[in-house]
Amino acid sequence: MNTTAKNISAGSLEFTSKGGQTQVAATSFLALFSIVGLALYGLPFFYDFMVKDFEWSRAQVTSGNFYSKLLIGPLFGFAAGWIVDRFGPRRMMMAGILMAGVALVGLSFTTSLALFYFFYLFNALGYVCGGPLPNQVLISRWFNEARGKAMGFAYLGIGVGGGLAPLLGNWLTQQFGWPGALRTMGILIVLIALPMAFFVKESPGTDAVTPSATTAVSIGSVLKSWKFYLLAIGSMCSIGAVGGTFQNLKLFMTGDLFRGLPVQEAQSLAAYVLSLVLISSLAGRLLMGWLADRFPKKYVMLLIYLIVASSIPLLFLASSRPFLYLFAVLFGIGLGGDYMIIPLMAAELFGVKVLGRLMGVVLTADGVAEALAPVIVAKTRDNTASYAVGFSILIVLAFIGATAVMLLPKKDRASRI
């Protein structure tokens, strides 16, 4: 009888755990769909409208991302990681979702740079509080053996949301104008992501996290490790290359590449290319998540970084449509795996108990690179009337990131997770 009861209890626990894992994966999917896909990747679609209507420079519209991440990242990045490790990710996610929605609604009403920067701060806060950091920790707590697959599925939300964002933004702009489109997307973020985040559990078998269980590992030993600095340098360089490319991509297409086309045709074609990038990222996330569960994560990370580095030079040939579409597919695959592989590599090297604080530091550093690179590229375009110098900088940056990853150890540290 006791054995039967134990078997029933074990089966019930396994069923509950699987149900919880499904809920966690769906919650992270919708959170990343909204905060990263619609908000982060959706905003650059509106940059050229702001340049035209407000007579702002390319450097000014990309500097909203720069100033907000440069301010928010160092001030809140590590604190957010500490809070997630100590109190769990759910409340942070809810706050982030609300702030991301407020950011887009606020940006739809702004006509001055001061307000533009102010609401971009909310966008950065939403990303820190509700974006990759809490979702990475949430997934890592609920999944072990299939962590790569789970992370890959959750990060599909970024690709789906990002792929939909330019098409949705283009359609909404035709219906309501670009401010109305931004406003609608901000409201959608809250409606889509908040309900699931409200009901999700922090970790298996409990609604709360015991502080002593998640703060026993010191971050100090991690910060003294040479592996940490290689991981940080590699991720900063690759994320900087990705961010610098994507944030300027529509400006490059509508302002340079498609300059001779009718305005609506140029807008539609740019929306299609942006959507192709982010739809291709879906394949990247699935493929890299699958590979990460089967091969040393170092090699998967290196593959991703080399794909990013080799795709950017295709922009020099983008006047030929086949090369432009080839860029979109390759860059999208690299983009899809880029953000996803960092927490998987970090968990393998240093373990899950310190992951929130570790990723707080790494994502802060990545945020600085992601903020700085687009402004540098935009400024070279403003000064030289060409993106050639800026894109060349991004190519070098991407290869530096790949070199740092090559120096990381490949040994699996699963016993520490």
Side-chain angles (χ1 to χ4, degrees), residues 113-132:
L113 275 173
L115 280 175
F116 175 72
Y117 293 144
F118 175 77
F119 284 111
Y120 230 115
L121 290 177
F122 275 91
N123 184 59
L125 275 170
Y127 180 83
V128 168
C129 295

Side-chain angles (χ1 to χ4, degrees), residues 306-341:
L306 288 174
I307 290 173
V308 171
S310 61
S311 66
I312 300 173
L314 293 172
L315 288 173
F316 289 102
L317 306 171
S319 56
S320 170
R321 295 287 171 83
F323 282 107
L324 177 61
Y325 298 148
L326 179 61
F327 157 79
V329 172
L330 288 178
F331 182 75
I333 290 171
L335 183 151
D338 208 331
Y339 293 85
M340 183 199 70
I341 195 63

Side-chain angles (χ1 to χ4, degrees), residues 388-404:
V389 174
F391 289 159
S392 298
I393 292 172
L394 296 179
I395 293 167
V396 172
L397 203 60
F399 277 110
I400 292 174
T403 302

Side-chain angles (χ1 to χ4, degrees), residues 54 56 109-118:
F54 304 142
W56 295 343
F109 289 104
T110 187
T111 56
S112 69
L113 275 173
L115 280 175
F116 175 72
Y117 293 144
F118 175 77

Side-chain angles (χ1 to χ4, degrees), residues 2 37-38 81 107 177-178 194 208 231 242-243 271 275 345 393 410 416:
N2 288 338
L38 293 184
L107 285 168
W178 70 264
L194 189 61
L231 179 66
V242 166
S275 185
M345 190 70 195
I393 292 172
K410 68 173 182 178
R416 298 186 57 181

Side-chain angles (χ1 to χ4, degrees), residues 73-154:
L75 285 179
F76 295 96
F78 183 76
W82 181 84
I83 291 170
V84 167
D85 272 345
R86 187 170 181 84
F87 299 108
R90 187 176 72 91
R91 282 165 286 186
M92 285 278 291
M93 288 174 63
M94 292 171 62
I97 291 163
L98 289 170
M99 285 187 282
V102 167
L104 265 62
V105 172
L107 285 168
S108 73
F109 289 104
T110 187
T111 56
S112 69
L113 275 173
L115 280 175
F116 175 72
Y117 293 144
F118 175 77
F119 284 111
Y120 230 115
L121 290 177
F122 275 91
N123 184 59
L125 275 170
Y127 180 83
V128 168
C129 295
L133 174 59
N135 287 285
Q136 289 164 359
V137 174
L138 183 66
I139 290 169
S140 295
R141 287 179 177 175
W142 275 89
F143 292 87
N144 188 8
E145 295 298 325
R147 186 176 295 156
K149 287 182 183 177
M151 201 78 75
F153 172 79

Side-chain angles (χ1 to χ4, degrees), residues 51-263:
V51 169
K52 180 182 177 183
D53 289 0
F54 304 142
E55 297 183 346
W56 295 343
S57 69
R58 290 171 175 80
Q60 284 174 321
V61 295
T62 56
S63 65
N65 180 65
F66 170 71
Y67 290 126
S68 61
K69 286 191 175 176
L70 212 59
L71 178 64
I72 297 302
L75 285 179
F76 295 96
F78 183 76
W82 181 84
I83 291 170
V84 167
D85 272 345
R86 187 170 181 84
F87 299 108
R90 187 176 72 91
R91 282 165 286 186
M92 285 278 291
M93 288 174 63
M94 292 171 62
I97 291 163
L98 289 170
M99 285 187 282
V102 167
L104 265 62
V105 172
L107 285 168
S108 73
F109 289 104
T110 187
T111 56
S112 69
L113 275 173
L115 280 175
F116 175 72
Y117 293 144
F118 175 77
F119 284 111
Y120 230 115
L121 290 177
F122 275 91
N123 184 59
L125 275 170
Y127 180 83
V128 168
C129 295
L133 174 59
N135 287 285
Q136 289 164 359
V137 174
L138 183 66
I139 290 169
S140 295
R141 287 179 177 175
W142 275 89
F143 292 87
N144 188 8
E145 295 298 325
R147 186 176 295 156
K149 287 182 183 177
M151 201 78 75
F153 172 79
Y155 271 65
L156 286 179
I158 298 177
V160 175
L164 181 63
L167 300 177
L168 179 63
N170 189 46
W171 182 79
L172 289 172
T173 297
Q174 293 177 35
Q175 306 303 314
F176 310 114
W178 70 264
L182 260 180
R183 204 170 303 135
T184 303
M185 289 172 70
I187 294 169
L188 284 174
I189 285 171
V190 177
L191 293 178
I192 290 169
L194 189 61
M196 288 291 286
F198 181 82
F199 290 106
V200 76
K201 289 185 176 182
E202 307 279 12
S203 57
T206 179
D207 290 318
V209 177
T210 304
S212 60
T214 58
T215 58
V217 180
S218 170
I219 189 71
S221 60
V222 173
L223 297 180
K224 293 176 183 177
S225 170
W226 59 271
K227 293 176 288 188
F228 164 77
Y229 292 99
L230 284 176
L231 179 66
I233 291 169
S235 64
M236 282 182 70
C237 289
S238 190
I239 294 295
V242 166
T245 303
F246 191 84
Q247 290 279 322
N248 283 278
L249 189 54
K250 195 189 179 204
L251 291 168
F252 167 64
M253 289 189 290
T254 58
D256 294 36
L257 198 59
F258 307 146
R259 195 184 321 181
L261 297 178
V263 173

